[in-house]
Amino acid sequence: MPLRLRDSVLVFNQENRLQFICTMELRVIEFNVLPYVVELIPLLDGTNSIEAIELALDGTPGFTRQSLKDVLTVMRDQRLLDRHPQIEHPGTYRFERQARLFHEFASTFSLDASPSQLQELLEASKVVVVGTGGTGTWLLQSLLAAGVGSFEIFDPDYVELTNLNRQVLYRPEDVGRSKVVAASDRLRAINESVNIKCHPVKIDSPVALNAALRDASVPIKGRTRSGGSLAAVSGLVANLTAWEALRLLLSLPLALSNQVRELDLFTLEWRIRKIAPRPGCQACENVP
């Protein structure tokens, strides 16, 4: 496939010393290089075959085919090049910008799955959300926007006027309606192809919880208890949770497993408490 430098990699040259800044991983790599390598970088734009690159560099000081092969091997090993070919999408493709990010994921984490296959994973996933309040509504909106194909939502409550300051899926005309019904209507208005099952019931026992989660790709508690809340706070908590759920669905490295993270909303400082898995817990055995 044509060779292409990753979008997230910035390259700076100072007297044949190349600095690669990998913005996705916050990583910096530096190499002393031959002059032809400086000329190589702009050729790695996804339009040139290896034969075209060899022809363009022929005669440049230090160039040999074997040397070029060695340089490209190092660049691949350092994850500086796209792992999968770029696919041109029409401007009407809903997930075009997301596909670009998935290219970065595939290269950063050396994934075998292509960006289109990652999107298909989300479309085939089912997320169960228990509680469609301040956290749950933001969760649902973010996961739907990312392309999750199926949801099952549980909440016995009805929309109240006081919900409208932070529960993003509801509108004034929804006051008095079942939350799960109003939420599903709004989600289908955003993406009519989504599959949603609504349950206006309370999950109040381990048996009920186990039944609700029987075929979920990811279960999420979308209900929080506090003295009060703002939309900004609900959105912050929910979107961090949604990001972790997406990482789980896409088999990306997790950040929140085996720990509790507490954010001081005034200083924006994190406190992290490690939590050891319960001995003998089968559900914890495969958690990274």
Side-chain angles (χ1 to χ4, degrees), residues 130-131 154-156 199-212 223 225:
V130 179
F154 293 78
D155 199 310
H199 303 276
V201 297
K202 183 178 181 179
I203 303 296
D204 56 2
S205 71
V207 172
L209 181 61
N210 185 63
R223 181 185 293 271
R225 295 292 184 185

Side-chain angles (χ1 to χ4, degrees), residues 133-174:
T135 303
T137 52
W138 284 93
L139 270 167
L140 288 164
Q141 180 173 267
S142 293
L143 294 175
L144 175 75
V148 172
S150 298
F151 296 92
E152 207 161 338
I153 55 179
F154 293 78
D155 199 310
D157 294 339
Y158 295 85
V159 179
E160 299 177 359
L161 182 63
T162 57
N163 299 150
L164 302 184
N165 80 310
R166 67 197 184 284
Q167 300 184 15
V168 69
L169 292 179
Y170 307 131
R171 298 175 175 178
E173 56 266 32
D174 292 320

